[in-house]
């Protein structure tokens, strides 16, 4: 999988093998500049230019967490278990628990 952010205020999840877009995450009010995907948890994260962070259930493309703040970067840890959020000065490491955290299937 690959995830991309765009100036059209969306993030998109792609199946690299088929080159198909499998989810579109729409709810930002500014260009999406930072994205991440945890296939192990079935969750995506997007951060727009205003600093607004959203966590998504990738299987439904529904926003499950919205944090209006001034973050600079957000992505998943290499093991896909922890969300790493930076504000330019500090790094916050958190775990997002979501009942439907099943992996994406193709």
């Amino acid at each position: 999988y690959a995830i991309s952010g765009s100036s059209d205020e969306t993030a998109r999840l792609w199946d690299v093998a088929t080159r198909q877009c499998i989810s579109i995450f729409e709810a930002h009010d500014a260009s999406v500049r930072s994205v991440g995907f945890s296939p192990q948890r079935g969750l995506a994260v997007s951060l727009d230019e205003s600093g607004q962070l959203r966590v998504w259930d990738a299987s439904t493309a529904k926003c499950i967490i919205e944090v209006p703040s001034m973050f600079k970067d957000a992505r998943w840890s290499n093991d896909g278990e922890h969300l790493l959020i930076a504000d330019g000065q500090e790094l916050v490491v958190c775990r997002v628990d979501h009942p439907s955290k099943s992996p994406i299937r193709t």
Side-chain angles (χ1 to χ4, degrees), residues 47 70-74 84-92:
L47 179 75
M70 292 305 297
F71 294 118
K72 303 290 184 203
D73 196 12
L84 312 172
I85 307 166
D87 69 359
Q89 300 293 321
E90 296 184 23
L91 176 68
V92 176

Side-chain angles (χ1 to χ4, degrees), residues 3 5 18 26 32 36 57 70 74 77-78 86 88 93 95 101 103-104:
I3 187 166
T18 65
E26 302 176 275
V32 176
D57 178 326
M70 292 305 297
S77 60
N78 288 340
V93 178
R95 183 173 173 93
K101 61 181 181 175
I104 294 291

Side-chain angles (χ1 to χ4, degrees), residues 20-89:
Q20 298 292 313
C21 177
I22 57 175
S23 291
I24 301 174
F25 310 111
E26 302 176 275
H28 285 282
D29 296 324
S31 295
V32 176
R33 70 172 181 199
S34 181
V35 293
F37 176 59
S38 171
Q40 302 91 331
R41 310 206 58 229
L43 298 174
V45 63
S46 59
L47 179 75
D48 68 26
E49 287 183 341
S50 73
Q52 184 175 65
L53 175 105
R54 293 180 187 266
V55 177
W56 306 86
D57 178 326
S59 63
T60 64
K62 293 196 186 224
C63 180
I64 59 169
I65 297 172
E66 179 181 343
V67 181
S69 189
M70 292 305 297
F71 294 118
K72 303 290 184 203
D73 196 12
R75 52 194 79 239
W76 294 98
S77 60
N78 288 340
D79 64 5
E81 291 297 315
H82 297 90
L83 183 58
L84 312 172
I85 307 166
D87 69 359
Q89 300 293 321

